Amino acid sequence: MTLHERIETQRGRLTKTDRALLDTLLSSPEDAVHWSGDDLAGHAGSHPAAATRLAQKLGFEGYPHLREELRQERREAQKPLRGAGDRMRAELAEHQTGTVLDTFLRAEVESLAAVAECVEQTRLDGIADAIAAADTVHVFARGNASVLTELVERRLRRFGVRVVVLDGDGRELAERLTALTAQDLVLAFAFRRPPRLLTGLLAHAAAVGARSVLVTDTLHTLDPAPDVLVAARRSDRDGFSSLTVPMAVTNALVLTLAHRHPDRTLPALDRLDSLLRTFE
């Protein structure tokens, strides 16, 4: 079980002090892997024994074991990623027995079944409420994950939510972010490794007071960290990884928004129906 999965499992038991320790730990992972428990408690403004209590609450014998888990996860994250060709070769090697369809579906079903173990509905509730309260939702992704920005943009626009897609290079991103305010929300998607512009985006969101949400699979120790992290593994395979799991999470988020805020979303859909009749 990863550190993030341990945190998710115990989220309901975490105290204000525990959360302060975790925020400090995960917002400075490069430094935190060298801290003692007293160091962590000092940075978080907590009692020296608090780090040990947190580690034990998360299932570790003591704080050094928690720190070693964080160190190991960072070591794994820093390993060079295999190229697309190597990943596809690994994927094809898994299809030596059975059909491609059977093998693929089996892996996807297993991954989808595991989502409920690491993504709590209460977390989606909070994000849906933040979207409903935001003046504008700024959506960010790069590479294959960009498919999710199109899905989110279309779904949220139908609900009457103002959406800005943060695409383009660094200059274009900067131009779009000039309008970001504390009343806005940044919704980002990133997998395997953080895109080059993601850390700058999260830092700017924090600087202006905008809330940030990251939907990911394995990115648990970003610096700076997003305000809300939704992490669900896409599969345990080293080869091809689809967007089935994050797309399911995204659709669940959209449905949660409709469920929790029908007074906003349903009239917007009615207006859309009326406009469609007009323009058709």
Side-chain angles (χ1 to χ4, degrees), residues 68-87:
E68 181 57 33
E69 177 65 24
L70 177 63
R71 182 177 293 147
Q72 180 62 30
E73 288 188 9
R74 285 196 57 77
R75 190 179 298 123
E76 289 295 323
Q78 291 168 353
K79 286 182 178 180
L81 290 178
R82 293 189 299 173
D86 288 338
R87 293 199 303 272

Side-chain angles (χ1 to χ4, degrees), residues 170-197:
R171 182 181 181 85
E172 290 178 281
L173 181 64
E175 290 175 352
R176 287 177 170 83
L177 287 175
T178 57
L180 185 70
T181 72
Q183 286 69 50
D184 296 339
L185 174 75
V186 172
L187 176 59
F189 299 90
F191 309 103
R192 290 184 182 272
R193 284 288 179 87
R196 180 175 57 87
L197 301 174

Side-chain angles (χ1 to χ4, degrees), residues 27-43:
S27 64
S28 304
E30 292 184 0
D31 296 327
V33 295
H34 304 294
W35 292 342
S36 66
D38 288 351
D39 292 333
L40 174 60
H43 285 291

Side-chain angles (χ1 to χ4, degrees), residues 150-251:
E150 182 177 351
L151 171 66
V152 168
E153 180 191 21
R154 182 178 294 271
R155 295 291 192 185
L156 294 187
R157 275 196 288 108
R158 291 176 177 178
F159 287 164
V161 177
R162 186 182 298 113
V163 182
V164 172
V165 176
L166 300 173
D167 54 9
D169 59 18
R171 182 181 181 85
E172 290 178 281
L173 181 64
E175 290 175 352
R176 287 177 170 83
L177 287 175
T178 57
L180 185 70
T181 72
Q183 286 69 50
D184 296 339
L185 174 75
V186 172
L187 176 59
F189 299 90
F191 309 103
R192 290 184 182 272
R193 284 288 179 87
R196 180 175 57 87
L197 301 174
L198 178 59
T199 54
L201 170 60
L202 295 176
H204 180 66
V208 303
R211 287 183 60 76
S212 57
V213 177
L214 176 65
V215 178
T216 184
D217 51 358
T218 58
L219 303 180
H220 302 141
T221 55
L222 289 176
D223 183 17
D227 292 311
V228 181
L229 183 72
V230 180
R233 287 188 176 276
R234 292 185 288 166
S235 72
D236 291 327
R237 297 175 299 169
D238 291 329
F240 177 83
S241 292
S242 78
L243 294 175
T244 302
V245 166
M247 191 166 289
V249 171
T250 302
N251 281 320

